[in-house]
Amino acid sequence: MQEVILVKLGEIVLKGLNRRVFEDRLLKNIRRRISRAGNFDVYSSQSTVYIVPKDEDADIDEAEERVAKVFGIIGYTRACVCEKDMDTILKTAPEYLGDILADVSTFKVESKRADKKFALDSMQISREVGGALLRANPHLSVDVHNPQMVVRVEIREKGAYIHGETKPGAGGIPVGTGGKAAILISGGLDSPVAAWMMARRGVELTAIHFASPPYTSERAHEKVVSLLKKVGEYAGRMEMVTIPFTKIQEEIRDNCPEELATVLMRRFMMRAAERVAREYDCSALITGESLGQVASQTIQAIACTDAAAEMPVFRPLIGTDKAEIVAVARRIDTYDISIEPYEDCCTVFTPRHPRTRPTLNIVEAAEKNLDVEALLEDCLKNVEVRKI
Ligand code: ATP
Ligand code: MG
């Protein structure tokens, strides 16, 4: 009895002429991601991706865990493959499904016959397999309308596949099919979620973090690295660029009106991030802002921030509530890391009364007190890059 993983493609199937590109990318991403679990054959046929262990050492449990985090997959299931022969199927199904069926009391069988040469039709297959499962599990009964579990039998090209429920996949489209963008990542709750959301739309990420030592600590930096590793389980490999921000923040503090400090700082972040983003072939910036959450996230403040950037700035959380953001953070396992109490450069120099409705001309006037270009060049000379 051989066990495999069957993967159902998500939105990719709607892609028409581009479908090949999306599918190839998905296969490549799956192969790369599960390579740590051992040797597997990964191929697609008729809208299903097959993941087949090549040897004894291939760890299918680990492969399944990893597949659950690959974008572009709407659902997946473990399945058992056997010969396309009714006697074998009737013997294999109760053997393979025994443990899973022990926990349910009602079930039904649904069958699909992709191979039309197979002697029985799908109704007949379902009936016979249902009978075999009932004989082997006397506690079960069949419920065609509301079963606790649906057993599926699929007669395909290379054999018969038997499996239980399909689990939901990570959704989205394959990373790498949506271009590249830079995520401005802090140690907070929001930006890791924003990163995950954009990666789910196929975007390959580069991470940019601003650090203000000695006001922010090495521990705070490590926290961001931990968050990115969690995001990377879905988004794949990425580079993290850390930009030293202390000098800029001190200059703003010493030379500009306090109530504008936050918006001025954010404009510097956009400019510096954009330059790094270009270097890494990114064509957009991503932030974790959500409308109205804090003083710098009003429409007016965002307008002033955006005016400093030429690239599009994506804010996937703009219309979400904190509770929704928390739900995603828990799902992707960043929540517990995010709530660790470390300082961020944003919180270090927070003005007592930030201006919630800045206007661009007031902000630009305040900026005249600074040598913007020199400050940018200076901080970009000392960036630190690391692989996640
Ligand atoms: P988060 O929970 O992501 O920290 P927040 O609600 O605390 O967001 P701010 O601190 O105002 O909001 O930051 C808004 C956005 O600016 C963040 O979501 C992030 O994209 C970016 N940002 C904030 N601090 C940093 C930083 N130190 N380095 C890089 N980007 C940052
Ligand atoms: Mg923050």
Side-chain angles (χ1 to χ4, degrees):
M1 178 162 49
Q2 191 190 22
E3 206 179 17
V4 302
I5 301 172
L6 301 181
V7 168
K8 274 207 302 192
L9 307 190
E11 280 173 49
I12 296 178
V13 295
L14 307 173
K15 291 288 174 203
L17 290 177
N18 279 333
R19 175 168 171 170
R20 196 70 257 153
V21 177
F22 283 80
E23 213 171 299
D24 286 349
R25 189 63 196 216
L26 178 63
L27 291 177
K28 199 169 135 190
N29 291 353
I30 293 175
R31 284 190 193 108
R32 187 190 292 166
R33 222 59 87 62
I34 67 171
S35 64
R36 291 268 186 97
N39 288 319
F40 291 86
D41 256 335
V42 179
Y43 60 90
S44 79
S45 163
Q46 295 166 334
S47 297
T48 301
V49 174
Y50 295 75
I51 302 178
V52 184
K54 282 212 244 182
D55 53 41
E56 293 278 286
D57 296 333
D59 183 344
I60 196 163
D61 291 330
E62 190 178 345
E64 182 184 354
E65 257 174 55
R66 289 170 174 273
V67 162
K69 295 179 177 172
V70 174
F71 291 129
I73 295 174
I74 192 130
Y76 62 93
T77 182
R78 299 265 280 257
C80 146
V81 201
C82 68
E83 255 177 73
K84 284 191 284 188
D85 147 273
M86 220 43 216
D87 285 341
T88 313
I89 294 171
L90 294 180
K91 186 167 156 290
T92 309
E95 256 175 47
Y96 179 62
L97 297 168
D99 288 348
I100 317 175
L101 289 169
D103 296 334
V104 301
S105 52
T106 59
F107 79 106
K108 75 169 172 181
V109 181
E110 281 189 357
S111 305
K112 219 160 77 187
R113 191 179 52 148
D115 173 5
K116 300 292 178 208
K117 291 191 298 258
F118 193 74
L120 306 187
D121 68 20
S122 48
M123 292 289 279
Q124 293 167 318
I125 301 169
S126 296
R127 204 172 314 124
E128 293 216 10
V129 173
L133 292 173
L134 284 171
R135 281 192 295 282
N137 301 276
H139 73 284
L140 287 180
S141 58
V142 172
D143 180 345
V144 288
H145 299 298
N146 221 344
Q148 285 175 333
M149 190 175 141
V150 180
V151 169
R152 289 179 205 278
V153 179
E154 301 177 39
I155 312 294
R156 293 175 178 252
E157 203 69 41
K158 296 195 177 173
Y161 293 78
I162 302 163
H163 61 88
E165 297 300 354
T166 300
K167 296 182 190 164
I173 49 182
V175 170
T177 57
K180 289 180 82 177
I183 170 73
L184 279 70
I185 182 110
S186 68
L189 258 172
D190 304 333
S191 38
V193 170
W196 181 83
M197 286 177 74
M198 295 310 296
R200 195 168 60 161
R201 297 315 300 162
V203 173
E204 204 175 323
L205 302 173
T206 296
I208 297 180
H209 177 63
F210 294 92
S212 299
Y215 305 101
T216 62
S217 63
E218 187 51 37
R219 296 286 297 277
H221 190 247
E222 285 307 311
K223 177 185 179 185
V224 179
V225 173
S226 307
L227 286 170
L228 286 174
K229 283 184 180 158
K230 290 286 182 191
V231 172
E233 289 177 18
Y234 292 87
R237 282 180 250 177
M238 68 184 106
E239 259 147 335
M240 173 190 186
V241 181
T242 301
I243 303 177
F245 211 48
T246 317
K247 177 92 180 290
I248 290 177
Q249 290 192 292
E250 287 173 341
E251 287 286 310
I252 294 173
R253 179 194 61 196
D254 297 341
N255 299 293
C256 304
E258 183 185 320
E259 75 267 19
L260 293 177
T262 307
V263 67
L264 290 168
M265 175 193 76
R266 299 203 58 76
R267 285 165 60 83
F268 270 100
M269 280 188 173
M270 292 296 152
R271 293 186 181 106
E274 190 165 69
R275 293 191 191 188
V276 171
R278 280 214 185 86
E279 232 176 274
Y280 284 80
D281 270 342
C282 296
S283 31
L285 303 176
I286 305 164
T287 76
E289 289 159 302
S290 160
L291 196 66
Q293 208 186 70
V294 290
S296 62
Q297 297 175 19
T298 62
I299 291 181
Q300 293 84 350
I302 288 175
C304 291
T305 306
D306 265 4
E310 280 168 22
M311 284 183 184
V313 181
F314 294 143
R315 297 179 170 89
L317 305 182
I318 197 72
T320 58
D321 279 3
K322 203 73 190 182
E324 291 163 335
I325 298 169
V326 165
V328 180
R330 287 193 193 279
R331 170 176 174 192
I332 64 174
D333 207 19
T334 53
Y335 182 80
D336 289 332
I337 306 173
S338 286
I339 60 170
E340 286 172 19
Y342 292 110
E343 64 293 333
D344 182 60
C345 72
C346 288
T347 51
V348 175
F349 293 86
T350 314
R352 279 159 297 179
H353 303 289
R355 190 152 175 154
T356 51
R357 293 183 189 179
T359 58
L360 193 54
N361 45 18
I362 291 178
V363 170
E364 281 174 347
E367 231 163 48
K368 292 236 159 64
N369 299 332
L370 304 169
D371 189 342
V372 173
E373 189 54 36
L375 283 169
L376 280 173
E377 274 172 26
D378 191 53
C379 76
L380 290 173
K381 268 200 303 240
N382 296 306
V383 302
E384 189 196 289
V385 183
R386 90 192 247 178
K387 284 195 182 353
I388 303 288

